[in-house]
Amino acid sequence: MMAPGRRSSTFTRLLRHGFTDPSAAERLLDGPELSPVRDDPFLLEALGGTADPDLALHGLVRLLEAQSGHTARRELLDTLIAAKPLRDRLLGVLGASAALADHLARHPRDWEALVTYEPRDLHPGVEEFERGLAEATDPVLLRVAYRRCLLSIAARDVCGTTDLAETAAELADLATATLRAALGLAQAEAPADAALCRLAVIAMGKCGGHELNYVSDVDVIFVGESVDGADEGKALRAATKLASHMMRICSETTVEGSIWPVDANLRPEGRNGPLVRTLSSHLAYYQRWAKTWEFQALLKARPVAGDLELGAEYVAAVEPLVWKAAERENFVVDVQRMRRRVVENIPAAEVERELKLGPGGLRDVEFAVQLLQLVHGRADVSLRSGTTLDALQALAGGGYVGRSDAEQLDVAYRFLRSMEHRIQLYRLRRTHLVPESEADLRRLGRSLGLRTDPVVELTREWKRHAAVVRRLHEKLFYRPLLDAVAQLAPGEARLSPEAARERLVALGYADPASALRHIEALASGVTRKAAIQRTLLPVLLGWFADSADPDAGLLNFRKVSDALGKTPWYLRLLRDEGAAAENLARVLSAGRLAPDLLMRAPEAVALLGDGDGGGLEPRGRDQLEQETLAAVGRAEGAVQAVTAARGVRRRELFRTAAADIVASYGTESHPVEADQGALVDLVGGAVSDLTAATLAGTLRAVVRDGWGDTLPTRFAVVGMGRFGGHELGYGSDADVLFVHEPRDGVDEREASEAANKVVSEMRRLLQVPSADPPLLIDADLRPEGKSGPLVRTLKSYEAYYRRWSLVWESQALLRAEVVAGDEELGRRFIAVVDPLRYPADGLSEDAVREIRRLKARMESERLPRGADPKLHTKLGPGGLSDVEWTVQLVQMRHGATQPGLRTTRTRDALAAAREAGLIGEEEAATLDEAWVLATRVRNAVMLVRGRAGDTFPSGARELVAVGRYLGYGPGRVGDMLDDYRRTARRARGVVDELFYGG
């Protein structure tokens, strides 16, 4: 029995050498397998140098146990102690890969593959690996031989004999040798098929790029031709059998597991296309049907197995097509679609652990490099490498990428790929997820040389490199453009004007010459302002390119910068407040309305920040009214006062539009708002509150200017239509009624003249041409319409409604809500109209028929000539009018008995009708979806065009911009229109049932 002191000493040594379970390690060291060498200082030191000493020791004991006898065990131990290269290689592998430890336990003599240490073993190529696989005469033996070769690659990797790029190249060479061996086995089993055809295997993806992972699908394309005199159809069938058999040999699971899946889905037509095509068939497809991503994939095409001469012919034939891809008509749209990071399919819990697809992941680097190759490789053959790191170096050497940026990306990419390699090596499983357990993170960190505090150091380094990739991903495209025009570093390679133009066109800029002039004007010079712009522009240009109109975004940014460039806070805001720059980029490139509002008072840029004075959250009516009335109070005269009120309105319209755009497009810090109804409510409520505050301020200004503190008559403004319903859009007029009541002792004529003068002056002042958008007041819903007086007394309204009111007027009053003026008078007006809009006995059948007749007439008479009814958001089937009239009919029928229906808001009334069981759950959801979508389309049209519209714009770029606002990416305009028609059609079905049939 071991003395306590001895045990304590060994326990401490094991801890010091990195063992996490010293007790178990001590038992293994004392076991019969290792007892002869348990005290050897080199063994313990070598175990402590591995990624996971406990795992390495356990694997070593298993390997010793698997030896055929005492002599074999002694041979292994003697070699292990005497030969440092073997010790480091073997223990390094055992401490990094449980899967390779399993392989060694099953094949205990394979450790001998690690003994030789000659120069030719340091960097083996395809020939060396082919020799290593040569004796494999069936799929099972091929797997064993493959793992034996993999063992030597892993040993060189974990010992630092090869770096990341060399390891990835060796893995690709081993894959090449394996594909050749598998094809040889398939041909040996079917010599008749082999005699009929020529079959070339083209490696794609990381295998083709000579940068393969430990465990990855091996992407291939097959090219087949008939041998001289053979029938082409028979030859292709034979080639297909051989190709299928080769894939099965590599992919199927046997007692020795599988090698890796062979994936042929990059072929023309994907999995729906034939597995093997002739060269001419490939070319016909690529010339007529191929998409941009397919040419991007062909960047890495490399013949690896089968008929290498045919493979070389294939690569030579498709290469000219690859380098002309950037000239294709849909290249820009395809690139925009590919550039939008697709992380929606990654489970939310895994996004931050994704090394490949997550933000700042490997795909960001690979995509950026490949895109720049496609754009500039047409004219510069030095860029035509399938290997990411080689291509990145070539791009930097040619000035297509900043040298410093390229160096940082190279380092980050190598680190992230090394993480990926070591994660996969552990279990030899295909994964790109960073593990979560501390033990796995500790082993991973130690395998990368992080030994002080592996988990903390690994996490820090991983996040740092991912942040570098995220930061540089967009700048990679744009920083060289600045260098090309600013020319601040003489002697460095930089983009030629033609290369800069090509890059801007590829990234979506329609007028590259003007774009370069704007960039030059913003970034040239040695001033502090120019220096900050050079920092901001690479990122801003990327955000502009992500919009439907990058040119407008850049032009608007130059205008804002020219207006505010000498203001110290402007560039500081964009540089220092994370959200401000991206918010500004989104706002400036999303259409005309928001930039127009901003240009009228550029200092409103401050709203886009997240510090003091910033924030895009719309303000409430009380706060708006308080500010507006205060501004009016400080002004001299009605004109100046209303100008101040309109200034507040313009600023707040910009705030609302900016909030809407940012929520619709999403930013890095704030994802797209998923609840489209919430965005509609936000805009409708904000614009309605703002309009009410503007009217209150204007009323105060006019009264004060003409009568001092008190008007001779009480006066109230009643909102109608969308205004009363809190549903105003950006371009909506303010539908109102004006009501007054003479004060005690005031002559009715004097009161009427005063009220009419107030209305006339309010309308005039709110439409005076100025830098602020006008606010149009529409009083056509008043009794007798345009023929009736603009203002009536409360008694006059009461008399008219009691005697003359028509059913459509009662329906219109469903939206009546007091918005400004005398609150008590407003309440009494509402009390007068409530019995009309919510009749105690509901609606008579005659009234229902009249409402239906009016609706039908409106559909046939008011739709603009030439408009597509199915896309008209207001009057078309399933549009706003359909939904609103259906809801209003329910309100008038049941509002007297259902208090929830007594609301001016369409969505609230619809929800109340559903709660009361008056409209079914599914029908209510259908109507709500259609109403929200139609409202969003109208808001989008106003934001994009700067003027109101009830249908989709006809211009292609404007239509794309509307689509982007609605969440449809590049190339999805057709989907947007189809979705609208489908939604409206379903809503019309509900309207036909509830409004016309109920």
Side-chain angles (χ1 to χ4, degrees):
M1 181 174 176
M2 193 173 295
R6 169 76 180 274
R7 179 176 178 82
S8 176
S9 172
T10 305
F11 191 92
T12 303
R13 284 169 55 212
L14 290 170
L15 275 177
R16 191 168 62 247
H17 279 92
F19 287 85
T20 57
D21 189 354
S23 298
E26 194 169 5
R27 286 194 298 273
L28 291 174
L29 286 169
D30 283 339
E33 291 79 14
L34 285 174
S35 58
V37 295
R38 69 174 312 282
D39 292 321
D40 187 282
F42 297 117
L43 176 61
L44 199 56
E45 184 178 340
L47 286 167
T50 65
D52 187 337
D54 301 86
L55 184 68
L57 177 58
H58 185 259
L60 178 60
V61 171
R62 289 178 64 206
L63 176 57
L64 287 165
E65 289 173 342
Q67 298 303 309
S68 58
H70 175 76
T71 303
R73 268 197 301 276
R74 189 72 245 184
E75 179 188 357
L76 171 56
L77 283 174
D78 288 346
T79 311
L80 188 70
I81 299 304
K84 185 179 188 305
L86 171 69
R87 189 164 60 243
D88 292 342
R89 286 178 167 197
L90 178 58
L91 296 181
V93 168
L94 293 174
S97 178
L100 288 178
D102 291 342
H103 171 83
L104 284 168
R106 287 196 308 273
H107 304 281
R109 300 305 298 179
D110 277 4
W111 66 269
E112 295 172 4
L114 304 179
V115 173
T116 54
Y117 199 74
E118 300 173 8
R120 66 186 176 87
D121 297 309
L122 296 181
H123 301 293
V126 176
E127 290 183 14
E128 286 77 16
F129 289 125
E130 282 189 293
R131 282 197 296 270
L133 303 177
E135 296 180 5
T137 55
D138 61 46
V140 174
L141 291 177
L142 181 60
R143 280 153 176 70
V144 175
Y146 174 84
R147 290 289 173 94
R148 188 183 304 122
C149 292
L150 192 65
L151 191 63
S152 66
I153 294 176
R156 286 186 292 275
D157 180 15
V158 299
C159 291
T161 308
T162 54
D163 66 10
L164 177 278
E166 291 168 331
T167 300
E170 287 186 16
L171 289 166
D173 285 342
L174 175 56
T176 296
T178 306
L179 289 170
R180 291 178 182 180
L183 182 57
L185 292 176
Q187 290 170 329
E189 282 197 26
D193 288 335
L196 281 174
C197 65
R198 300 169 65 197
L199 176 64
V201 183
I202 312 297
M204 304 287 285
K206 282 189 162 56
C207 184
H210 221 223
E211 52 186 11
L212 196 61
N213 295 331
Y214 275 103
V215 187
S216 175
D217 291 358
V218 171
D219 297 308
V220 298
I221 284 177
F222 296 106
V223 187
E225 296 287 351
S226 60
V227 298
D228 293 340
D231 177 76
E232 184 177 286
K234 290 182 179 178
L236 286 178
R237 286 193 291 275
T240 300
K241 290 179 185 177
L242 292 173
S244 299
H245 192 184
M246 187 204 82
M247 293 174 69
R248 289 197 304 275
I249 288 171
C250 296
S251 305
E252 285 182 346
T253 301
T254 70
V255 292
E256 288 292 338
S258 67
I259 301 176
W260 19 246
V262 177
D263 189 340
N265 288 335
L266 291 178
R267 66 187 185 269
E269 300 181 76
R271 65 184 61 197
N272 297 319
L275 184 63
V276 183
R277 289 176 183 258
T278 62
L279 177 55
S280 60
S281 176
H282 276 283
L283 287 177
Y285 172 84
Y286 287 127
Q287 288 166 344
R288 186 171 185 183
W289 303 109
K291 298 181 176 60
T292 298
W293 71 262
E294 293 177 278
F295 293 111
Q296 182 180 0
L298 285 170
L299 280 169
K300 296 183 179 294
R302 180 171 64 92
V304 292
D307 191 319
L308 296 181
E309 183 180 344
L310 176 59
E313 291 175 18
Y314 169 86
V315 171
V318 300
E319 190 174 43
L321 301 177
V322 172
W323 302 115
K324 290 180 180 178
E327 300 171 6
R328 291 162 54 87
E329 181 180 353
N330 293 323
F331 181 75
V332 171
V333 172
D334 289 344
V335 166
Q336 286 179 325
R337 185 185 294 120
M338 290 188 294
R339 284 179 64 249
R340 294 171 71 84
R341 190 176 286 110
V342 185
V343 296
E344 289 84 359
N345 294 328
I346 305 174
E350 297 181 356
V351 170
E352 295 302 319
R353 295 167 51 219
E354 255 283 352
L355 277 175
K356 182 178 179 180
L357 301 177
L362 294 164
R363 198 186 71 165
D364 279 355
V365 181
E366 293 160 357
F367 174 83
V369 169
Q370 290 162 21
L371 175 57
L372 292 176
Q373 286 181 280
L374 286 177
V375 172
H376 299 299
R378 289 179 288 175
D380 190 340
V381 296
S382 71
L383 305 180
R384 300 180 182 182
S385 170
T387 306
T388 300
L389 291 174
D390 290 348
L392 181 59
Q393 186 177 4
L395 287 165
Y400 303 101
V401 171
R403 193 170 296 278
S404 173
D405 292 346
E407 289 173 357
Q408 291 184 68
L409 273 183
D410 184 285
V411 172
Y413 186 75
R414 287 175 185 270
F415 183 86
L416 296 173
R417 278 296 303 273
S418 295
M419 281 184 68
E420 182 183 45
H421 273 194
R422 301 301 166 79
I423 291 168
Q424 293 182 348
L425 180 59
Y426 177 52
R427 292 287 187 193
L428 287 181
R429 290 176 183 164
R430 183 175 181 267
T431 179
H432 309 288
L433 288 179
V434 178
E436 293 182 289
S437 77
E438 184 163 342
D440 287 337
L441 291 171
R442 181 177 183 274
R443 180 181 55 257
L444 179 56
R446 285 175 59 91
S447 76
L448 296 170
L450 307 172
R451 299 297 173 94
T452 304
D453 191 345
V455 175
V456 172
E457 291 177 80
L458 172 69
T459 304
R460 183 177 63 238
E461 288 299 294
W462 165 38
K463 296 298 183 183
R464 180 174 70 83
H465 287 297
V468 166
V469 173
R470 288 187 75 175
R471 188 178 73 251
L472 292 180
H473 178 230
E474 294 293 349
K475 291 184 180 180
L476 203 68
F477 301 121
Y478 300 103
R479 186 174 285 163
L481 295 170
L482 274 65
D483 294 339
V485 297
Q487 299 185 0
L488 293 176
E492 278 208 13
R494 58 171 55 92
L495 288 182
S496 67
E498 179 61 19
R501 187 196 72 79
E502 288 176 341
R503 184 174 300 194
L504 283 165
V505 169
L507 293 165
Y509 287 82
D511 186 356
S514 294
L516 282 173
R517 284 197 300 273
H518 298 322
I519 294 169
E520 183 175 9
L522 290 162
S524 294
V526 295
T527 63
R528 179 176 174 275
K529 170 187 171 185
I532 296 177
Q533 289 282 24
R534 285 193 293 275
T535 301
L536 293 169
L537 271 169
V539 181
L540 288 167
L541 288 166
W543 285 326
F544 294 148
D546 194 39
S547 72
D549 196 347
D551 301 84
L554 179 55
L555 172 61
N556 289 331
F557 179 67
R558 182 178 176 185
K559 288 179 179 178
V560 173
S561 294
D562 287 346
L564 293 177
K566 294 181 181 178
T567 309
W569 57 264
Y570 167 61
L571 290 175
R572 188 168 63 243
L573 171 80
L574 299 185
R575 182 192 64 193
D576 297 341
E577 293 201 24
E582 187 173 5
N583 289 346
L584 179 62
R586 297 298 181 205
V587 166
L588 292 181
S589 55
R592 295 181 182 176
L593 178 65
D596 285 350
L597 292 169
L598 182 59
M599 297 308 169
R600 299 178 191 207
E603 64 276 4
V605 164
L607 298 176
L608 300 172
D610 45 21
D612 294 339
L616 294 177
E617 187 71 29
R619 302 158 79 192
R621 180 176 297 191
D622 290 344
Q623 191 177 2
L624 289 168
E625 189 167 317
Q626 184 179 1
E627 182 187 359
T628 302
L629 293 177
V632 166
R634 291 189 297 269
E636 294 185 9
V639 173
Q640 190 182 94
V642 175
T643 299
R646 290 174 66 181
V648 173
R649 175 173 178 264
R650 181 243 313 126
R651 184 199 69 211
E652 295 301 320
L653 270 177
F654 172 75
R655 189 199 301 269
T656 302
D660 188 16
I661 290 167
V662 168
S664 297
Y665 271 72
T667 64
E668 286 197 9
S669 55
H670 292 91
V672 173
E673 171 59 60
D675 185 352
Q676 302 295 293
L679 286 178
V680 165
D681 293 342
L682 178 144
V683 173
V687 178
S688 300
D689 287 347
L690 180 53
T691 301
T694 305
L695 290 178
T698 303
L699 176 60
R700 172 75 61 85
V702 169
V703 170
R704 187 188 64 184
D705 201 51
W707 293 272
D709 292 334
T710 306
L711 190 67
T713 186
R714 299 179 185 277
F715 188 92
V717 183
V718 179
M720 299 288 285
R722 299 196 179 284
F723 186 16
H726 298 256
E727 296 161 0
L728 282 180
Y730 297 110
S732 302
D733 296 348
D735 289 319
V736 297
L737 299 178
F738 297 108
V739 58
H740 79 105
E741 182 178 69
R743 296 186 183 278
D744 293 342
V746 175
D747 178 69
E748 190 164 317
R749 182 177 176 181
E750 177 189 355
S752 179
E753 288 177 352
N756 275 283
K757 187 175 180 181
V758 166
V759 171
S760 176
E761 193 66 0
M762 286 178 68
R763 299 179 82 180
R764 182 185 72 81
L765 290 173
L766 287 170
Q767 296 179 54
V768 169
S770 75
D772 301 310
L775 174 56
L776 302 178
I777 295 178
D778 187 340
D780 289 353
L781 291 175
R782 65 188 183 269
E784 301 178 74
K786 293 181 180 180
S787 304
L790 267 176
V791 192
R792 287 178 182 261
T793 64
L794 181 59
K795 287 183 179 179
S796 176
Y797 275 109
E798 191 172 8
Y800 174 87
Y801 287 137
R802 186 172 57 248
R803 187 171 183 184
W804 305 108
S805 176
L806 301 174
V807 68
W808 73 263
E809 291 176 298
S810 298
Q811 183 181 352
L813 288 169
L814 285 166
R815 305 283 214 140
E817 180 173 294
V818 180
V819 294
D822 191 300
E823 293 182 7
E824 194 271 335
L825 175 62
R827 280 193 294 272
R828 286 193 282 132
F829 174 86
I830 295 300
V832 167
V833 302
D834 269 350
L836 278 79
R837 55 184 182 175
Y838 309 125
D841 297 326
L843 286 177
S844 66
E845 285 304 311
D846 287 344
V848 171
R849 279 194 295 273
E850 176 64 10
I851 290 174
R852 289 171 175 163
R853 186 187 66 79
L854 288 170
K855 176 74 168 67
R857 196 179 86 184
M858 184 177 71
E859 289 178 12
S860 62
E861 295 179 2
R862 292 181 59 186
L863 195 70
R865 182 175 298 176
D868 181 351
K870 294 179 180 178
L871 292 176
H872 199 279
T873 60
K874 184 176 181 181
L875 301 176
L880 296 170
S881 176
D882 266 3
V883 177
E884 289 165 1
W885 282 60
T886 300
V887 172
Q888 289 163 9
L889 182 60
V890 173
Q891 286 182 282
M892 295 184 74
R893 278 176 154 176
H894 304 283
T897 58
Q898 295 290 335
L901 292 172
R902 297 174 210 160
T903 174
T904 62
R905 307 179 188 216
T906 301
R907 296 190 72 209
D908 288 356
L910 182 56
R914 184 196 65 223
E915 289 294 321
L918 301 171
I919 297 179
E921 193 88 28
E922 188 175 338
E923 289 84 356
T926 298
L927 293 178
D928 186 70
E929 181 186 10
W931 190 89
V932 166
L933 179 57
T935 305
R936 289 271 289 159
V937 172
R938 294 180 96 209
N939 287 344
V941 170
M942 184 65 188
L943 285 169
V944 168
R945 301 173 65 194
R947 62 182 188 275
D950 290 319
T951 191
F952 290 88
S954 55
R957 181 154 281 202
E958 290 181 341
L959 195 58
V960 170
V962 168
R964 295 301 296 275
Y965 170 86
L966 295 175
Y968 293 87
R972 293 195 58 212
V973 164
D975 293 341
M976 170 182 70
L977 298 178
D978 288 346
D979 287 349
Y980 181 84
R981 292 188 186 99
R982 186 182 308 110
T983 302
R985 185 171 62 248
R986 289 174 55 223
R988 179 62 184 210
V990 175
V991 170
D992 285 341
E993 179 184 344
L994 297 180
F995 183 82
Y996 288 110

